[in-house]
Amino acid sequence: MLFATLASILALAGTTLAQTPAGFAPSVNKTLDVYYGSTYITPGLMVRKSSTASKPTIGVTGEALTGKYLLAMIGEQFGGATRTTVLHALLQDYTPNGQTLNGTTVLSTTATGPSSYFGPAPPAENPQHPHNYIFLLHAQPDGFAVPASQRSVVQSRIGIDWVKFMADAKLSAPLYANYLRVQSGDNTKRAFQA
Ligand SMILES: *[C@@H]1O[C@H](CO)[C@@H](O)[C@H](O)[C@H]1NC(C)=O
Ligand SMILES: *[C@@H]1O[C@H](CO)[C@@H](O)[C@H](O)[C@H]1NC(C)=O
């Protein structure tokens, strides 16, 4: 009984280590700190669509970063057996901006591309279910550009295969990740119109 309990705790600890949803590739263990306003995103947190309209503040805790970083945000949805993905953001040139927030070394960019941020907007579905939105932070290779083979999917945003993108763009494995969830058909209004 005790052993069974310990085993299940250990199993749980093993599965909660990943900062990416179960089944999502690539799997990443280190947390990307993500804040929407004052809300800290713990991996898998369910949030309202209205709180995610503007791009989040991101960073890392406990590590000194140098160089440039690339952020991808990928929406993942399952309808029956079908998995679809949407590229919600691909933003380059993140660097530490000298600020800290709640212990997080903040990374920022003035870039709005290659693919600008657009917040989660899962369509109404019956039955309702949460959609995943995954954040991946990569070291940005010198001279990074979207490879020709990926230009049309980056432009359409639909059906991005991140493992293939990484290979084509010669990215190494993501360093940090996180994800949130938004319920399908969440039509909450924004608290502030800005
Ligand atoms: C994540 O942690 C697990 C368990 O310690 C380990 O097996 C796996 O290799 C790690 N993955 C990465 C990408 O570091
Ligand atoms: C501060 O960061 C920690 C994780 O490092 C998190 O658990 C906590 O919720 C954050 N607090 C605020 C106020 O953002």
Side-chain angles (χ1 to χ4, degrees):
M1 186 77 158
L2 178 61
F3 288 120
T5 309
L6 277 176
S8 57
I9 290 169
L10 287 173
L12 191 64
T15 54
T16 53
L17 195 56
Q19 309 298 300
T20 38
F24 183 84
S27 173
V28 181
N29 289 344
K30 289 204 275 183
T31 312
L32 180 68
D33 292 341
V34 175
Y35 299 84
Y36 278 97
S38 58
T39 303
Y40 178 82
I41 303 299
T42 50
L45 187 70
M46 179 93 91
V47 300
R48 296 210 171 252
K49 174 178 126 176
S50 54
S51 65
T52 59
S54 302
K55 82 173 172 175
T57 300
I58 64 159
V60 301
T61 298
E63 285 180 70
L65 295 183
T66 54
K68 289 184 178 176
Y69 298 87
L70 180 68
L71 176 72
M73 178 182 178
I74 298 166
E76 180 186 50
Q77 175 204 347
F78 296 93
T82 331
R83 174 178 179 267
T84 51
T85 57
V86 175
L87 184 64
H88 276 261
L90 183 56
L91 299 173
Q92 64 182 61
D93 298 339
Y94 274 93
T95 55
N97 68 3
Q99 295 176 357
T100 57
L101 170 67
N102 181 40
T104 299
T105 300
V106 175
L107 297 166
S108 65
T109 184
T110 55
T112 55
S115 201
S116 61
Y117 177 88
F118 88 95
E125 288 162 318
N126 194 359
Q128 286 193 314
H129 63 91
H131 291 211
N132 296 328
Y133 298 87
I134 299 115
F135 301 89
L136 300 166
L137 192 76
H138 287 269
Q140 183 177 311
D142 288 342
F144 169 77
V146 173
S149 59
Q150 294 288 323
R151 274 184 211 139
S152 80
V153 69
V154 166
Q155 193 169 21
S156 74
R157 299 180 184 257
I158 310 296
I160 186 99
D161 175 342
W162 197 249
V163 171
K164 184 164 193 321
F165 184 99
M166 285 168 53
D168 289 3
K170 301 191 166 37
L171 300 181
S172 47
L175 301 168
Y176 303 91
N178 202 336
Y179 74 105
L180 56 76
R181 299 183 302 153
V182 178
Q183 184 75 282
S184 56
D186 175 353
N187 283 320
T188 50
K189 295 276 189 299
R190 295 174 63 182
F192 302 101
Q193 297 296 334

